[in-house]
Amino acid sequence: MISQKMIETIRADFALAWHGIHGFLHWQCVYNNGLRLAERTGAKVAVVELFAFLHDSKRVSNSRDPEHGARAAAFARSLRGTLITLDAADFELLAYACAYHTAGLTEADVTVQTCWDADRLDLGRCDIIPQPDRLCTGAAKDPAMIQWAVQQSMATPYVHEDR
Ligand SMILES: [Fe+2]
């Protein structure tokens, strides 16, 4: 569960449109994808949930912004012990997943893979059908999962902004 306080803390410093393609609606879709995947992958749900709401929280552009993952990891570290109470090993999974989520990697701990897949499965919001060879887990590559995620993306009322 992500607390209201966590959402308010993220929103207070979020630079882009709240309902834009890298904002709250996307994080909710990633969250839904992640929970669905975790049932099959065995990923650590607490890490997947936090990843969903943090990984793009420090983006300053909807296009190229190569450092936003590292900034998200640093932001997560700043919340450790207050809003984030993961143990050390789980926290490092979260930080790694955030830092490298746009590096195009597919090999990692299964919890990290589940985070990355949950994000990539929401590419339908940008009219991109997620490609199995870019996904990490068998659960995400399942055509039924891809179809479910694309339908969710299409049904989500994203606001497209110019930055
Ligand atoms: Fe994302």
Side-chain angles (χ1 to χ4, degrees):
M1 274 291 287
I2 298 296
S3 68
Q4 195 59 35
K5 176 74 181 158
M6 173 70 93
I7 301 296
E8 287 167 8
T9 300
I10 294 168
R11 186 168 192 168
D13 201 34
F14 186 55
L16 299 173
W18 188 242
H19 289 161
I21 60 167
H22 291 106
F24 185 66
L25 298 177
H26 169 55
W27 308 340
Q28 286 183 312
C29 287
V30 174
Y31 178 89
N32 293 338
N33 290 340
L35 292 193
R36 207 172 175 90
L37 291 173
E39 288 176 14
R40 288 176 61 184
T41 66
K44 295 182 174 186
V45 170
V47 175
V48 173
E49 289 179 342
L50 286 163
F51 171 85
F53 288 90
L54 288 168
H55 75 284
D56 281 333
S57 65
K58 293 299 171 188
R59 263 191 180 271
V60 293
S61 166
N62 282 306
S63 55
R64 205 176 130 70
D65 187 353
E67 296 302 319
H68 78 279
R71 290 196 300 272
F75 179 49
R77 214 168 284 282
S78 77
L79 302 177
R80 227 188 139 203
T82 55
L83 290 174
I84 297 178
T85 55
L86 298 175
D87 68 28
D90 286 0
F91 182 81
E92 291 312 320
L93 292 174
L94 172 65
Y96 183 84
C98 287
Y100 294 100
H101 77 274
T102 54
L105 302 172
T106 55
E107 294 297 328
D109 177 278
V110 71
T111 293
V112 172
Q113 289 182 310
T114 301
C115 292
W116 292 343
D117 281 348
D119 185 29
R120 292 168 197 175
L121 281 169
D122 194 34
L123 280 170
R125 73 195 193 287
C126 305
D127 297 324
I128 297 169
I129 303 298
Q131 295 302 306
D133 64 340
R134 303 280 183 94
L135 297 169
C136 310
T137 65
K141 295 177 190 202
D142 180 342
M145 180 69 213
I146 293 174
Q147 186 182 19
W148 185 89
V150 168
Q151 281 174 353
Q152 175 184 241
S153 302
M154 304 290 218
T156 302
Y158 284 110
V159 171
H160 291 266
E161 59 178 334
D162 298 328
R163 59 176 165 159

